[in-house]
Amino acid sequence: MAIRGGQPKVNRWGAFGRIPASTLESDALSADLKRRGFRFVGTTICYAFMQAIGMVNDHLVDCFRYEQLQSLRIAHPK
């Protein structure tokens, strides 16, 4: 499963209620891990993992970390 050519997916959420609990990518990751014999890897857990390791930037646009992460992405492109 390729995610955006090695770059994090950057979302532009304006409110917590808009952030999804899962995505098509986390669904695919969950299904692949289950196929390989992993357990307790539902789509929501996979999406939380994707957020935690930086595959997805789900900081709200008015959060200070959103701009910091954007600056790092621009300064150090792959």
Side-chain angles (χ1 to χ4, degrees), residues 22-72:
S22 64
T23 61
L24 293 175
E25 292 90 354
S26 66
D27 293 346
L29 178 58
S30 173
D32 186 58
L33 290 171
K34 287 178 182 176
R35 183 181 60 78
R36 295 169 188 254
F38 287 82
R39 297 169 56 172
F40 199 69
V41 288
T43 186
T44 301
I45 288 173
C46 286
Y47 194 63
F49 176 73
M50 292 166 63
Q51 290 171 318
I53 65 169
M55 289 176 69
V56 179
N57 178 0
D58 273 342
H59 289 274
L60 299 180
V61 293
D62 58 356
C63 174
F64 74 97
R65 281 298 285 161
Y66 183 86
E67 284 304 320
Q68 287 177 345
L69 294 172
Q70 283 296 92
S71 297
L72 288 173

mmCIF file of all heavy atoms in Angstrom, residues 22-72:
data_model
loop_
_atom_site.group_PDB
_atom_site.id
_atom_site.type_symbol
_atom_site.label_atom_id
_atom_site.label_comp_id
_atom_site.label_asym_id
_atom_site.label_seq_id
_atom_site.Cartn_x
_atom_site.Cartn_y
_atom_site.Cartn_z
ATOM 1 N N SER A 22 -11.635 6.819 10.691
ATOM 2 C CA SER A 22 -10.970 5.897 9.779
ATOM 3 C C SER A 22 -11.053 6.466 8.363
ATOM 4 O O SER A 22 -11.822 7.389 8.103
ATOM 5 C CB SER A 22 -11.619 4.514 9.839
ATOM 6 O OG SER A 22 -12.957 4.575 9.396
ATOM 7 N N THR A 23 -10.243 5.908 7.477
ATOM 8 C CA THR A 23 -10.230 6.333 6.072
ATOM 9 C C THR A 23 -10.108 5.094 5.193
ATOM 10 O O THR A 23 -9.905 3.979 5.688
ATOM 11 C CB THR A 23 -9.027 7.255 5.787
ATOM 12 O OG1 THR A 23 -7.819 6.527 6.045
ATOM 13 C CG2 THR A 23 -9.075 8.519 6.631
ATOM 14 N N LEU A 24 -10.177 5.291 3.900
ATOM 15 C CA LEU A 24 -9.986 4.163 2.986
ATOM 16 C C LEU A 24 -8.590 3.563 3.157
ATOM 17 O O LEU A 24 -8.414 2.346 3.080
ATOM 18 C CB LEU A 24 -10.193 4.609 1.537
ATOM 19 C CG LEU A 24 -11.613 5.026 1.162
ATOM 20 C CD1 LEU A 24 -11.659 5.553 -0.274
ATOM 21 C CD2 LEU A 24 -12.569 3.857 1.329
ATOM 22 N N GLU A 25 -7.598 4.424 3.417
ATOM 23 C CA GLU A 25 -6.233 3.933 3.623
ATOM 24 C C GLU A 25 -6.125 3.090 4.887
ATOM 25 O O GLU A 25 -5.470 2.041 4.879
ATOM 26 C CB GLU A 25 -5.239 5.100 3.704
ATOM 27 C CG GLU A 25 -5.051 5.841 2.411
ATOM 28 C CD GLU A 25 -6.021 7.012 2.227
ATOM 29 O OE1 GLU A 25 -6.926 7.181 3.062
ATOM 30 O OE2 GLU A 25 -5.862 7.749 1.239
ATOM 31 N N SER A 26 -6.767 3.541 5.984
ATOM 32 C CA SER A 26 -6.706 2.750 7.215
ATOM 33 C C SER A 26 -7.511 1.464 7.074
ATOM 34 O O SER A 26 -7.143 0.437 7.652
ATOM 35 C CB SER A 26 -7.174 3.559 8.432
ATOM 36 O OG SER A 26 -8.543 3.879 8.362
ATOM 37 N N ASP A 27 -8.573 1.500 6.283
ATOM 38 C CA ASP A 27 -9.333 0.274 5.993
ATOM 39 C C ASP A 27 -8.434 -0.737 5.280
ATOM 40 O O ASP A 27 -8.413 -1.925 5.620
ATOM 41 C CB ASP A 27 -10.540 0.567 5.100
ATOM 42 C CG ASP A 27 -11.615 1.398 5.766
ATOM 43 O OD1 ASP A 27 -11.592 1.556 7.010
ATOM 44 O OD2 ASP A 27 -12.489 1.906 5.024
ATOM 45 N N ALA A 28 -7.685 -0.263 4.282
ATOM 46 C CA ALA A 28 -6.791 -1.142 3.518
ATOM 47 C C ALA A 28 -5.665 -1.686 4.395
ATOM 48 O O ALA A 28 -5.329 -2.876 4.319
ATOM 49 C CB ALA A 28 -6.219 -0.396 2.313
ATOM 50 N N LEU A 29 -5.079 -0.834 5.231
ATOM 51 C CA LEU A 29 -4.015 -1.273 6.133
ATOM 52 C C LEU A 29 -4.533 -2.325 7.104
ATOM 53 O O LEU A 29 -3.899 -3.367 7.311
ATOM 54 C CB LEU A 29 -3.433 -0.078 6.898
ATOM 55 C CG LEU A 29 -2.338 -0.374 7.911
ATOM 56 C CD1 LEU A 29 -1.150 -1.065 7.272
ATOM 57 C CD2 LEU A 29 -1.914 0.921 8.599
ATOM 58 N N SER A 30 -5.697 -2.086 7.669
ATOM 59 C CA SER A 30 -6.306 -3.030 8.602
ATOM 60 C C SER A 30 -6.552 -4.379 7.924
ATOM 61 O O SER A 30 -6.199 -5.431 8.471
ATOM 62 C CB SER A 30 -7.622 -2.462 9.134
ATOM 63 O OG SER A 30 -8.306 -3.414 9.917
ATOM 64 N N ALA A 31 -7.131 -4.349 6.740
ATOM 65 C CA ALA A 31 -7.425 -5.589 6.014
ATOM 66 C C ALA A 31 -6.144 -6.353 5.685
ATOM 67 O O ALA A 31 -6.090 -7.582 5.820
ATOM 68 C CB ALA A 31 -8.208 -5.274 4.744
ATOM 69 N N ASP A 32 -5.101 -5.633 5.288
ATOM 70 C CA ASP A 32 -3.837 -6.279 4.946
ATOM 71 C C ASP A 32 -3.196 -6.922 6.176
ATOM 72 O O ASP A 32 -2.706 -8.056 6.116
ATOM 73 C CB ASP A 32 -2.883 -5.273 4.317
ATOM 74 C CG ASP A 32 -1.611 -5.928 3.813
ATOM 75 O OD1 ASP A 32 -1.709 -6.849 2.962
ATOM 76 O OD2 ASP A 32 -0.530 -5.558 4.288
ATOM 77 N N LEU A 33 -3.196 -6.212 7.293
ATOM 78 C CA LEU A 33 -2.620 -6.771 8.517
ATOM 79 C C LEU A 33 -3.402 -7.994 8.990
ATOM 80 O O LEU A 33 -2.808 -8.996 9.417
ATOM 81 C CB LEU A 33 -2.565 -5.708 9.616
ATOM 82 C CG LEU A 33 -1.550 -4.591 9.394
ATOM 83 C CD1 LEU A 33 -1.744 -3.480 10.417
ATOM 84 C CD2 LEU A 33 -0.133 -5.130 9.443
ATOM 85 N N LYS A 34 -4.728 -7.940 8.905
ATOM 86 C CA LYS A 34 -5.548 -9.089 9.287
ATOM 87 C C LYS A 34 -5.264 -10.283 8.380
ATOM 88 O O LYS A 34 -5.173 -11.417 8.848
ATOM 89 C CB LYS A 34 -7.030 -8.728 9.256
ATOM 90 C CG LYS A 34 -7.441 -7.842 10.401
ATOM 91 C CD LYS A 34 -8.903 -7.455 10.311
ATOM 92 C CE LYS A 34 -9.288 -6.528 11.446
ATOM 93 N NZ LYS A 34 -10.678 -6.074 11.329
ATOM 94 N N ARG A 35 -5.092 -10.010 7.088
ATOM 95 C CA ARG A 35 -4.786 -11.078 6.130
ATOM 96 C C ARG A 35 -3.455 -11.745 6.481
ATOM 97 O O ARG A 35 -3.263 -12.930 6.288
ATOM 98 C CB ARG A 35 -4.729 -10.502 4.713
ATOM 99 C CG ARG A 35 -4.483 -11.532 3.625
ATOM 100 C CD ARG A 35 -4.405 -10.915 2.243
ATOM 101 N NE ARG A 35 -3.339 -9.933 2.111
ATOM 102 C CZ ARG A 35 -2.043 -10.231 1.949
ATOM 103 N NH1 ARG A 35 -1.653 -11.480 1.916
ATOM 104 N NH2 ARG A 35 -1.143 -9.275 1.816
ATOM 105 N N ARG A 36 -2.536 -10.980 7.056
ATOM 106 C CA ARG A 36 -1.225 -11.501 7.435
ATOM 107 C C ARG A 36 -1.216 -12.130 8.837
ATOM 108 O O ARG A 36 -0.169 -12.509 9.334
ATOM 109 C CB ARG A 36 -0.194 -10.381 7.380
ATOM 110 C CG ARG A 36 0.029 -9.854 5.978
ATOM 111 C CD ARG A 36 0.859 -8.582 6.006
ATOM 112 N NE ARG A 36 0.926 -7.971 4.719
ATOM 113 C CZ ARG A 36 2.000 -7.994 3.926
ATOM 114 N NH1 ARG A 36 3.086 -8.614 4.312
ATOM 115 N NH2 ARG A 36 1.973 -7.392 2.752
ATOM 116 N N GLY A 37 -2.392 -12.189 9.469
ATOM 117 C CA GLY A 37 -2.501 -12.878 10.750
ATOM 118 C C GLY A 37 -2.474 -11.995 11.984
ATOM 119 O O GLY A 37 -2.525 -12.500 13.106
ATOM 120 N N PHE A 38 -2.387 -10.684 11.809
ATOM 121 C CA PHE A 38 -2.403 -9.792 12.965
ATOM 122 C C PHE A 38 -3.809 -9.716 13.532
ATOM 123 O O PHE A 38 -4.798 -9.888 12.819
ATOM 124 C CB PHE A 38 -1.926 -8.390 12.574
ATOM 125 C CG PHE A 38 -0.458 -8.291 12.322
ATOM 126 C CD1 PHE A 38 0.074 -8.654 11.092
ATOM 127 C CD2 PHE A 38 0.406 -7.841 13.311
ATOM 128 C CE1 PHE A 38 1.428 -8.578 10.842
ATOM 129 C CE2 PHE A 38 1.768 -7.759 13.080
ATOM 130 C CZ PHE A 38 2.278 -8.128 11.843
ATOM 131 N N ARG A 39 -3.883 -9.435 14.834
ATOM 132 C CA ARG A 39 -5.178 -9.297 15.492
ATOM 133 C C ARG A 39 -5.226 -7.957 16.198
ATOM 134 O O ARG A 39 -4.197 -7.342 16.466
ATOM 135 C CB ARG A 39 -5.366 -10.434 16.488
ATOM 136 C CG ARG A 39 -5.387 -11.789 15.770
ATOM 137 C CD ARG A 39 -5.298 -12.937 16.699
ATOM 138 N NE ARG A 39 -6.370 -12.860 17.693
ATOM 139 C CZ ARG A 39 -6.625 -13.801 18.545
ATOM 140 N NH1 ARG A 39 -5.922 -14.885 18.568
ATOM 141 N NH2 ARG A 39 -7.598 -13.655 19.424
ATOM 142 N N PHE A 40 -6.416 -7.490 16.513
ATOM 143 C CA PHE A 40 -6.634 -6.207 17.180
ATOM 144 C C PHE A 40 -6.065 -5.065 16.335
ATOM 145 O O PHE A 40 -5.347 -4.196 16.811
ATOM 146 C CB PHE A 40 -6.042 -6.211 18.601
ATOM 147 C CG PHE A 40 -6.618 -5.137 19.482
ATOM 148 C CD1 PHE A 40 -7.933 -5.204 19.911
ATOM 149 C CD2 PHE A 40 -5.856 -4.062 19.869
ATOM 150 C CE1 PHE A 40 -8.474 -4.211 20.708
ATOM 151 C CE2 PHE A 40 -6.383 -3.053 20.671
ATOM 152 C CZ PHE A 40 -7.692 -3.137 21.086
ATOM 153 N N VAL A 41 -6.341 -5.101 15.060
ATOM 154 C CA VAL A 41 -5.872 -4.064 14.133
ATOM 155 C C VAL A 41 -7.045 -3.556 13.298
ATOM 156 O O VAL A 41 -7.012 -3.573 12.080
ATOM 157 C CB VAL A 41 -4.730 -4.569 13.213
ATOM 158 C CG1 VAL A 41 -3.449 -4.734 13.971
ATOM 159 C CG2 VAL A 41 -5.122 -5.876 12.520
ATOM 160 N N GLY A 42 -8.065 -3.071 13.983
ATOM 161 C CA GLY A 42 -9.211 -2.508 13.276
ATOM 162 C C GLY A 42 -8.838 -1.205 12.585
ATOM 163 O O GLY A 42 -7.767 -0.627 12.811
ATOM 164 N N THR A 43 -9.721 -0.734 11.754
ATOM 165 C CA THR A 43 -9.437 0.451 10.952
ATOM 166 C C THR A 43 -9.203 1.703 11.795
ATOM 167 O O THR A 43 -8.349 2.532 11.479
ATOM 168 C CB THR A 43 -10.539 0.668 9.894
ATOM 169 O OG1 THR A 43 -10.154 1.739 9.037
ATOM 170 C CG2 THR A 43 -11.892 0.942 10.515
ATOM 171 N N THR A 44 -9.921 1.847 12.911
ATOM 172 C CA THR A 44 -9.719 3.017 13.772
ATOM 173 C C THR A 44 -8.351 2.968 14.441
ATOM 174 O O THR A 44 -7.651 3.988 14.523
ATOM 175 C CB THR A 44 -10.837 3.109 14.828
ATOM 176 O OG1 THR A 44 -12.096 3.193 14.152
ATOM 177 C CG2 THR A 44 -10.663 4.319 15.721
ATOM 178 N N ILE A 45 -7.946 1.795 14.898
ATOM 179 C CA ILE A 45 -6.622 1.652 15.497
ATOM 180 C C ILE A 45 -5.547 1.944 14.462
ATOM 181 O O ILE A 45 -4.552 2.615 14.744
ATOM 182 C CB ILE A 45 -6.451 0.252 16.119
ATOM 183 C CG1 ILE A 45 -7.298 0.166 17.380
ATOM 184 C CG2 ILE A 45 -4.994 -0.066 16.394
ATOM 185 C CD1 ILE A 45 -7.363 -1.192 18.008
ATOM 186 N N CYS A 46 -5.745 1.460 13.245
ATOM 187 C CA CYS A 46 -4.771 1.721 12.179
ATOM 188 C C CYS A 46 -4.695 3.217 11.866
ATOM 189 O O CYS A 46 -3.604 3.754 11.651
ATOM 190 C CB CYS A 46 -5.118 0.918 10.927
ATOM 191 S SG CYS A 46 -4.732 -0.839 11.107
ATOM 192 N N TYR A 47 -5.834 3.898 11.864
ATOM 193 C CA TYR A 47 -5.805 5.334 11.578
ATOM 194 C C TYR A 47 -5.106 6.103 12.697
ATOM 195 O O TYR A 47 -4.316 7.012 12.437
ATOM 196 C CB TYR A 47 -7.212 5.886 11.345
ATOM 197 C CG TYR A 47 -7.188 7.259 10.722
ATOM 198 C CD1 TYR A 47 -6.648 7.452 9.465
ATOM 199 C CD2 TYR A 47 -7.678 8.364 11.390
ATOM 200 C CE1 TYR A 47 -6.602 8.707 8.884
ATOM 201 C CE2 TYR A 47 -7.642 9.626 10.820
ATOM 202 C CZ TYR A 47 -7.112 9.786 9.563
ATOM 203 O OH TYR A 47 -7.057 11.031 8.994
ATOM 204 N N ALA A 48 -5.340 5.712 13.940
ATOM 205 C CA ALA A 48 -4.651 6.346 15.063
ATOM 206 C C ALA A 48 -3.141 6.120 14.957
ATOM 207 O O ALA A 48 -2.348 7.029 15.221
ATOM 208 C CB ALA A 48 -5.182 5.798 16.386
ATOM 209 N N PHE A 49 -2.742 4.930 14.538
ATOM 210 C CA PHE A 49 -1.326 4.636 14.330
ATOM 211 C C PHE A 49 -0.753 5.516 13.220
ATOM 212 O O PHE A 49 0.338 6.078 13.355
ATOM 213 C CB PHE A 49 -1.147 3.151 13.988
ATOM 214 C CG PHE A 49 0.266 2.768 13.671
ATOM 215 C CD1 PHE A 49 1.220 2.688 14.667
ATOM 216 C CD2 PHE A 49 0.639 2.478 12.370
ATOM 217 C CE1 PHE A 49 2.533 2.323 14.377
ATOM 218 C CE2 PHE A 49 1.947 2.120 12.070
ATOM 219 C CZ PHE A 49 2.885 2.040 13.074
ATOM 220 N N MET A 50 -1.502 5.662 12.129
ATOM 221 C CA MET A 50 -1.058 6.509 11.016
ATOM 222 C C MET A 50 -0.872 7.959 11.471
ATOM 223 O O MET A 50 0.072 8.636 11.053
ATOM 224 C CB MET A 50 -2.065 6.422 9.860
ATOM 225 C CG MET A 50 -2.093 5.056 9.194
ATOM 226 S SD MET A 50 -3.527 4.800 8.123
ATOM 227 C CE MET A 50 -3.288 6.039 6.885
ATOM 228 N N GLN A 51 -1.744 8.433 12.339
ATOM 229 C CA GLN A 51 -1.602 9.781 12.887
ATOM 230 C C GLN A 51 -0.372 9.860 13.787
ATOM 231 O O GLN A 51 0.412 10.809 13.704
ATOM 232 C CB GLN A 51 -2.846 10.158 13.697
ATOM 233 C CG GLN A 51 -4.083 10.376 12.865
ATOM 234 C CD GLN A 51 -5.314 10.523 13.738
ATOM 235 O OE1 GLN A 51 -5.496 9.799 14.718
ATOM 236 N NE2 GLN A 51 -6.177 11.463 13.382
ATOM 237 N N ALA A 52 -0.185 8.863 14.635
ATOM 238 C CA ALA A 52 0.900 8.878 15.618
ATOM 239 C C ALA A 52 2.281 8.865 14.974
ATOM 240 O O ALA A 52 3.210 9.498 15.475
ATOM 241 C CB ALA A 52 0.758 7.695 16.574
ATOM 242 N N ILE A 53 2.429 8.160 13.855
ATOM 243 C CA ILE A 53 3.751 8.068 13.223
ATOM 244 C C ILE A 53 3.960 9.121 12.146
ATOM 245 O O ILE A 53 5.009 9.150 11.506
ATOM 246 C CB ILE A 53 4.028 6.659 12.669
ATOM 247 C CG1 ILE A 53 3.082 6.304 11.530
ATOM 248 C CG2 ILE A 53 3.977 5.632 13.792
ATOM 249 C CD1 ILE A 53 3.478 5.058 10.774
ATOM 250 N N GLY A 54 2.964 9.978 11.943
ATOM 251 C CA GLY A 54 3.139 11.083 11.008
ATOM 252 C C GLY A 54 2.759 10.806 9.569
ATOM 253 O O GLY A 54 3.090 11.594 8.681
ATOM 254 N N MET A 55 2.054 9.716 9.314
ATOM 255 C CA MET A 55 1.575 9.466 7.957
ATOM 256 C C MET A 55 0.453 10.435 7.596
ATOM 257 O O MET A 55 0.209 10.692 6.426
ATOM 258 C CB MET A 55 1.061 8.029 7.814
ATOM 259 C CG MET A 55 2.141 6.978 7.836
ATOM 260 S SD MET A 55 1.467 5.296 7.786
ATOM 261 C CE MET A 55 0.797 5.217 6.131
ATOM 262 N N VAL A 56 -0.230 10.937 8.621
ATOM 263 C CA VAL A 56 -1.368 11.837 8.437
ATOM 264 C C VAL A 56 -1.204 13.021 9.385
ATOM 265 O O VAL A 56 -0.907 12.837 10.556
ATOM 266 C CB VAL A 56 -2.699 11.111 8.765
ATOM 267 C CG1 VAL A 56 -3.881 12.044 8.608
ATOM 268 C CG2 VAL A 56 -2.874 9.876 7.915
ATOM 269 N N ASN A 57 -1.368 14.227 8.866
ATOM 270 C CA ASN A 57 -1.381 15.420 9.715
ATOM 271 C C ASN A 57 -2.835 15.829 9.900
ATOM 272 O O ASN A 57 -3.434 16.423 9.008
ATOM 273 C CB ASN A 57 -0.579 16.557 9.093
ATOM 274 C CG ASN A 57 -0.613 17.820 9.931
ATOM 275 O OD1 ASN A 57 -1.223 17.868 10.986
ATOM 276 N ND2 ASN A 57 0.039 18.859 9.440
ATOM 277 N N ASP A 58 -3.380 15.495 11.042
ATOM 278 C CA ASP A 58 -4.774 15.832 11.340
ATOM 279 C C ASP A 58 -4.890 16.941 12.376
ATOM 280 O O ASP A 58 -5.934 17.104 12.997
ATOM 281 C CB ASP A 58 -5.532 14.597 11.836
ATOM 282 C CG ASP A 58 -6.121 13.786 10.703
ATOM 283 O OD1 ASP A 58 -6.240 14.322 9.588
ATOM 284 O OD2 ASP A 58 -6.478 12.617 10.924
ATOM 285 N N HIS A 59 -3.822 17.718 12.579
ATOM 286 C CA HIS A 59 -3.931 18.867 13.472
ATOM 287 C C HIS A 59 -4.919 19.857 12.869
ATOM 288 O O HIS A 59 -4.988 20.023 11.645
ATOM 289 C CB HIS A 59 -2.573 19.547 13.649
ATOM 290 C CG HIS A 59 -1.616 18.749 14.459
ATOM 291 N ND1 HIS A 59 -1.576 18.806 15.827
ATOM 292 C CD2 HIS A 59 -0.668 17.851 14.096
ATOM 293 C CE1 HIS A 59 -0.649 17.985 16.273
ATOM 294 N NE2 HIS A 59 -0.073 17.388 15.246
ATOM 295 N N LEU A 60 -5.706 20.492 13.714
ATOM 296 C CA LEU A 60 -6.613 21.526 13.231
ATOM 297 C C LEU A 60 -5.794 22.668 12.638
ATOM 298 O O LEU A 60 -4.676 22.942 13.084
ATOM 299 C CB LEU A 60 -7.489 22.043 14.368
ATOM 300 C CG LEU A 60 -8.399 21.012 15.041
ATOM 301 C CD1 LEU A 60 -9.202 21.667 16.149
ATOM 302 C CD2 LEU A 60 -9.317 20.339 14.047
ATOM 303 N N VAL A 61 -6.343 23.358 11.645
ATOM 304 C CA VAL A 61 -5.582 24.415 10.973
ATOM 305 C C VAL A 61 -5.211 25.559 11.905
ATOM 306 O O VAL A 61 -4.218 26.249 11.656
ATOM 307 C CB VAL A 61 -6.315 24.949 9.718
ATOM 308 C CG1 VAL A 61 -6.386 23.883 8.648
ATOM 309 C CG2 VAL A 61 -7.693 25.464 10.062
ATOM 310 N N ASP A 62 -5.941 25.754 12.988
ATOM 311 C CA ASP A 62 -5.587 26.831 13.910
ATOM 312 C C ASP A 62 -4.689 26.352 15.060
ATOM 313 O O ASP A 62 -4.347 27.124 15.960
ATOM 314 C CB ASP A 62 -6.830 27.528 14.467
ATOM 315 C CG ASP A 62 -7.777 26.595 15.202
ATOM 316 O OD1 ASP A 62 -7.529 25.382 15.231
ATOM 317 O OD2 ASP A 62 -8.769 27.098 15.755
ATOM 318 N N CYS A 63 -4.235 25.086 15.008
ATOM 319 C CA CYS A 63 -3.306 24.548 16.003
ATOM 320 C C CYS A 63 -1.882 24.967 15.630
ATOM 321 O O CYS A 63 -1.493 24.929 14.461
ATOM 322 C CB CYS A 63 -3.410 23.024 16.029
ATOM 323 S SG CYS A 63 -2.202 22.216 17.097
ATOM 324 N N PHE A 64 -1.070 25.337 16.623
ATOM 325 C CA PHE A 64 0.303 25.762 16.352
ATOM 326 C C PHE A 64 1.123 24.661 15.681
ATOM 327 O O PHE A 64 2.014 24.941 14.885
ATOM 328 C CB PHE A 64 0.993 26.231 17.641
ATOM 329 C CG PHE A 64 1.375 25.121 18.588
ATOM 330 C CD1 PHE A 64 2.664 24.618 18.576
ATOM 331 C CD2 PHE A 64 0.457 24.593 19.476
ATOM 332 C CE1 PHE A 64 3.029 23.597 19.439
ATOM 333 C CE2 PHE A 64 0.812 23.579 20.342
ATOM 334 C CZ PHE A 64 2.096 23.072 20.324
ATOM 335 N N ARG A 65 0.818 23.399 15.956
ATOM 336 C CA ARG A 65 1.587 22.301 15.356
ATOM 337 C C ARG A 65 1.309 22.150 13.868
ATOM 338 O O ARG A 65 2.163 21.672 13.123
ATOM 339 C CB ARG A 65 1.282 20.979 16.063
ATOM 340 C CG ARG A 65 1.981 20.798 17.365
ATOM 341 C CD ARG A 65 3.496 20.786 17.239
ATOM 342 N NE ARG A 65 3.980 19.530 16.691
ATOM 343 C CZ ARG A 65 5.167 19.360 16.139
ATOM 344 N NH1 ARG A 65 6.014 20.348 16.041
ATOM 345 N NH2 ARG A 65 5.531 18.198 15.667
ATOM 346 N N TYR A 66 0.130 22.542 13.428
ATOM 347 C CA TYR A 66 -0.196 22.421 12.005
ATOM 348 C C TYR A 66 0.822 23.203 11.171
ATOM 349 O O TYR A 66 1.420 22.669 10.244
ATOM 350 C CB TYR A 66 -1.621 22.926 11.734
ATOM 351 C CG TYR A 66 -2.033 22.749 10.290
ATOM 352 C CD1 TYR A 66 -2.580 21.557 9.862
ATOM 353 C CD2 TYR A 66 -1.843 23.764 9.356
ATOM 354 C CE1 TYR A 66 -2.943 21.373 8.544
ATOM 355 C CE2 TYR A 66 -2.198 23.588 8.033
ATOM 356 C CZ TYR A 66 -2.749 22.387 7.629
ATOM 357 O OH TYR A 66 -3.094 22.198 6.316
ATOM 358 N N GLU A 67 1.039 24.464 11.519
ATOM 359 C CA GLU A 67 1.986 25.291 10.765
ATOM 360 C C GLU A 67 3.421 24.811 10.943
ATOM 361 O O GLU A 67 4.209 24.845 10.002
ATOM 362 C CB GLU A 67 1.862 26.763 11.170
ATOM 363 C CG GLU A 67 0.641 27.434 10.592
ATOM 364 C CD GLU A 67 0.572 27.351 9.074
ATOM 365 O OE1 GLU A 67 1.616 27.488 8.391
ATOM 366 O OE2 GLU A 67 -0.528 27.128 8.551
ATOM 367 N N GLN A 68 3.779 24.356 12.144
ATOM 368 C CA GLN A 68 5.128 23.843 12.365
ATOM 369 C C GLN A 68 5.408 22.643 11.458
ATOM 370 O O GLN A 68 6.475 22.552 10.848
ATOM 371 C CB GLN A 68 5.324 23.435 13.826
ATOM 372 C CG GLN A 68 5.437 24.587 14.781
ATOM 373 C CD GLN A 68 5.558 24.125 16.224
ATOM 374 O OE1 GLN A 68 5.282 22.971 16.561
ATOM 375 N NE2 GLN A 68 5.974 25.037 17.087
ATOM 376 N N LEU A 69 4.460 21.743 11.375
ATOM 377 C CA LEU A 69 4.641 20.559 10.538
ATOM 378 C C LEU A 69 4.655 20.921 9.058
ATOM 379 O O LEU A 69 5.390 20.321 8.282
ATOM 380 C CB LEU A 69 3.564 19.522 10.846
ATOM 381 C CG LEU A 69 3.643 18.930 12.248
ATOM 382 C CD1 LEU A 69 2.430 18.074 12.543
ATOM 383 C CD2 LEU A 69 4.923 18.144 12.431
ATOM 384 N N GLN A 70 3.860 21.904 8.672
ATOM 385 C CA GLN A 70 3.878 22.366 7.287
ATOM 386 C C GLN A 70 5.233 22.962 6.954
ATOM 387 O O GLN A 70 5.774 22.738 5.869
ATOM 388 C CB GLN A 70 2.775 23.402 7.037
ATOM 389 C CG GLN A 70 1.410 22.804 6.890
ATOM 390 C CD GLN A 70 1.316 21.902 5.684
ATOM 391 O OE1 GLN A 70 1.534 20.703 5.785
ATOM 392 N NE2 GLN A 70 1.006 22.468 4.560
ATOM 393 N N SER A 71 5.797 23.734 7.865
ATOM 394 C CA SER A 71 7.115 24.355 7.644
ATOM 395 C C SER A 71 8.194 23.285 7.476
ATOM 396 O O SER A 71 9.065 23.408 6.613
ATOM 397 C CB SER A 71 7.476 25.269 8.806
ATOM 398 O OG SER A 71 6.559 26.326 8.904
ATOM 399 N N LEU A 72 8.136 22.242 8.298
ATOM 400 C CA LEU A 72 9.106 21.158 8.176
ATOM 401 C C LEU A 72 8.971 20.443 6.836
ATOM 402 O O LEU A 72 9.967 20.091 6.205
ATOM 403 C CB LEU A 72 8.918 20.139 9.306
ATOM 404 C CG LEU A 72 9.348 20.575 10.683
ATOM 405 C CD1 LEU A 72 8.942 19.516 11.707
ATOM 406 C CD2 LEU A 72 10.850 20.795 10.729
#
